[in-house]
Amino acid sequence: MRRYLISGNWKMNTTRATAVELAKALVSGAAAATDQVDVLIFPPAPYLIPVQDAVAGSAIQVGGQNAYFAAPGAFTGEVALDMLQDIGCESVLVGHSERRHVFGETDELINQKVKAGLEKGFQVVLCVGELIEERQAQQTEAVLDRQMAGGLAGVSAEQMASIVIAYEPVWAIGTGHTASPEQAESAHAHLRSWLTSHYNAQVAEATRILYGGSVKASNAAELLGQPNVDGALVGGASLKAADFLPIIEAGVNAAG
Ligand code: PEP
């Protein structure tokens, strides 16, 4: 039985004060929900520590939006996995579409980050998803296959216990154009069958596959109700407790 994971990617938003305020509102609003679903937030790197302090004692988890695979050293502007670990982060987001398409991250780099994260004991949330022109050209499944094979190269079946996949069609991120529940389910079912053929049925059954792309309170229940959707990765609607808490609640209802 896969446990739902509702996660919030705050991207390059919030101030220190609003980040702490949001975290505190989630602690009080999601206290009961975290008995039934996992809640994981990804604040901007400078606010990780104050947000961790704000959620201390609650079940809300805090992860890094990105990290570099190398050991600490001469990599100006980067954050090392060791540094995330040093401040108590246990999860890291890898391969988000903005990292791929704004910052030019390749499947090879993403794979280095995935493997380094796993070696250090992180839960790695690996994002995959097609561009609109790829969907229109009926290449969605081929793109997902390429990103899965590239991102997970060299990852063993045992290590897959620490991987979460997030299906995020790029055309749905921050656009208000959510994938229909059928489109999401079809992509998720495809990803699960990829896991069966490249690993085994047990890995496919156990791996959580989140949907991301304009998830909001009004569409969360239907998306989370799909058999192969095990949670959500939420951007814009994770920035206000009043928007994010109902999505967590939709996860609780789907789990129940
Ligand atoms: C995201 O950033 O991963 C995302 C899905 O954003 P939004 O919910 O705003 O589309």
Side-chain angles (χ1 to χ4, degrees):
M1 188 69 183
R2 298 181 294 270
R3 188 171 158 94
Y4 279 82
L5 169 58
I6 309 297
S7 56
N9 171 17
W10 295 1
K11 310 194 188 194
M12 199 171 73
N13 292 300
T14 71
T15 63
R16 181 183 179 130
T18 61
V20 167
E21 190 188 345
L22 174 55
K24 285 184 178 164
L26 297 180
V27 169
S28 50
T34 49
D35 287 345
Q36 292 172 70
V37 300
D38 289 341
V39 176
L40 169 61
I41 50 177
F42 295 101
Y47 305 142
L48 281 166
I49 293 174
V51 167
Q52 281 176 323
D53 290 346
V55 304
S58 81
I60 293 178
Q61 301 159 40
V62 179
Q65 291 179 16
N66 181 37
Y68 198 52
F69 65 86
F75 301 101
T76 302
E78 292 294 324
V79 171
L81 284 159
D82 305 62
M83 294 167 181
L84 291 182
Q85 198 153 50
D86 188 31
I87 60 165
C89 284
E90 294 178 349
S91 297
V92 63
L93 198 58
V94 175
H96 189 276
S97 77
E98 287 144 23
R99 300 299 319 169
R100 291 177 188 268
H101 300 296
V102 180
F103 299 103
E105 291 197 4
T106 61
D107 283 319
E108 289 68 33
L109 175 59
I110 289 163
N111 179 240
Q112 285 176 295
K113 293 182 176 195
V114 168
K115 285 193 293 194
L118 292 173
E119 276 157 24
K120 295 205 173 293
F122 281 83
Q123 168 175 267
V124 176
V125 181
L126 171 64
C127 303
V128 296
E130 80 287 0
L131 298 163
I132 187 62
E133 50 271 31
E134 293 167 335
R135 172 163 284 267
Q136 284 164 346
Q138 269 84 49
Q139 289 170 356
T140 297
E141 293 185 354
V143 170
L144 296 182
D145 292 351
R146 192 192 69 226
Q147 293 177 342
M148 290 287 279
L152 295 173
V155 174
S156 69
E158 290 67 36
Q159 288 177 310
M160 284 301 293
S162 300
I163 292 279
V164 173
I165 303 295
Y167 170 60
E168 297 207 305
V170 181
W171 48 271
I173 297 180
T175 60
H177 300 300
T178 318
S180 68
E182 295 73 27
Q183 286 172 319
E185 173 58 20
S186 159
H188 283 227
H190 178 77
L191 290 166
R192 206 172 300 287
S193 73
W194 188 96
L195 291 169
T196 306
S197 53
H198 290 76
Y199 288 98
N200 55 52
Q202 209 180 335
V203 167
E205 189 52 34
T207 303
R208 292 186 287 190
I209 307 178
L210 315 183
Y211 169 78
S214 298
V215 175
K216 33 192 187 274
S218 57
N219 58 28
E222 222 185 340
L223 288 160
L224 293 170
Q226 301 305 307
N228 283 292
V229 177
D230 308 312
L233 179 54
V234 185
S238 70
L239 291 170
K240 284 191 190 145
D243 294 332
F244 194 50
L245 289 170
I247 299 173
I248 296 173
E249 212 43 52
V252 170
N253 293 335

